Amino acid sequence: MSDGYQNRLAARFDALDRDGDGAITQADFEAMAREILASAGEPSTSARARRLIEAARTFFEGLSVHTDINMDGRIVKDEFLDAADISLRGNPRGFHQIAQPWAEAVIEIADRDQDGLVTHDEWAITLLAVGVDEELAERLPGLIDADGDGYITAKEILNLAVDFYTEDQALRPEFERAGV
Ligand SMILES: [Ca+2]
Ligand SMILES: [Ca+2]
Ligand SMILES: [Ca+2]
């Protein structure tokens, strides 16, 4: 495992541990989902809000299968880093499966005007909601929009997320800090 990969995942752990209690839990993922809903002005009772909260649960459970070694519902940092090294690094297909429902649900919420397309501005709002700083939130959408059509798709963010969690080599600096 490269130092770069380890540092990237360690920073990711700190970001995912929303309540800072030293472990990633279901509650942290729910908090992240609720922050995204709040940023979009989406009531948490709507059908697509419920899909997001459900997807957060599925994402957490998927990660747990790979990382919560003692199965106590709390992923502590050592478990997270050891398990990422063993079962996520170099396993793009496995991570893709874990993260796909989440990527699709987040895209659905990010599409604030519900026209079926997520603009760069819409995606920047979502990035801010998950803790990306303003300067990066402005630049990232242009980099994530791989086909340059002006819209961010679930596939485009999934590709980035897969690289983020599974690629041992350094990513471009913006992507190193990008995690969703
Ligand atoms: Ca926590
Ligand atoms: Ca839209
Ligand atoms: Ca695009």
Side-chain angles (χ1 to χ4, degrees):
M1 169 167 61
S2 68
D3 287 352
Y5 180 81
Q6 185 158 18
N7 292 340
R8 185 194 311 146
L9 272 287
R12 193 68 207 126
F13 179 90
D14 295 338
L16 284 173
D17 178 13
R18 281 321 221 231
D19 57 12
D21 69 347
I24 301 173
T25 65
Q26 183 68 58
D28 292 316
F29 272 74
E30 276 211 34
M32 178 164 64
R34 291 186 190 284
E35 284 157 24
I36 291 171
L37 292 174
S39 78
E42 181 73 21
S44 60
T45 49
S46 75
R48 60 185 194 149
R50 287 202 304 273
R51 279 196 289 278
L52 183 75
I53 292 167
E54 186 56 37
R57 193 164 298 144
T58 305
F59 191 14
F60 175 73
E61 282 165 3
L63 268 185
S64 295
V65 166
H66 287 275
T67 59
D68 181 12
I69 291 163
N70 66 355
M71 298 295 283
D72 66 350
R74 295 169 52 83
I75 305 170
V76 298
K77 198 166 198 168
D78 284 349
E79 281 181 323
F80 185 72
L81 293 176
D82 285 354
D85 181 36
I86 294 163
S87 69
L88 295 179
R89 189 169 61 90
N91 181 13
R93 193 193 286 266
F95 183 79
H96 190 281
Q97 223 168 19
I98 294 171
Q100 187 170 17
W102 172 247
E104 288 170 354
V106 175
I107 280 289
E108 196 182 9
I109 297 296
D111 179 15
R112 293 171 59 121
D113 61 5
Q114 300 195 51
D115 67 349
L117 298 165
V118 173
T119 63
H120 289 196
D121 285 350
E122 285 174 327
W123 190 245
I125 291 167
T126 306
L127 289 171
L128 289 172
V130 297
V132 171
D133 69 58
E134 215 163 309
E135 178 262 342
L136 187 59
E138 236 172 67
R139 277 195 309 139
L140 263 179
L143 301 171
I144 297 171
D145 181 9
D147 63 3
D149 67 350
Y151 300 106
I152 308 297
T153 61
K155 188 167 185 283
E156 286 168 337
I157 59 167
L158 202 47
N159 285 341
L160 172 58
V162 166
D163 282 352
F164 190 94
Y165 282 89
T166 70
E167 176 56 62
D168 196 45
Q169 303 293 314
L171 309 177
R172 60 181 300 161
E174 294 90 345
F175 291 168
E176 288 286 345
R177 302 191 285 136
V180 168

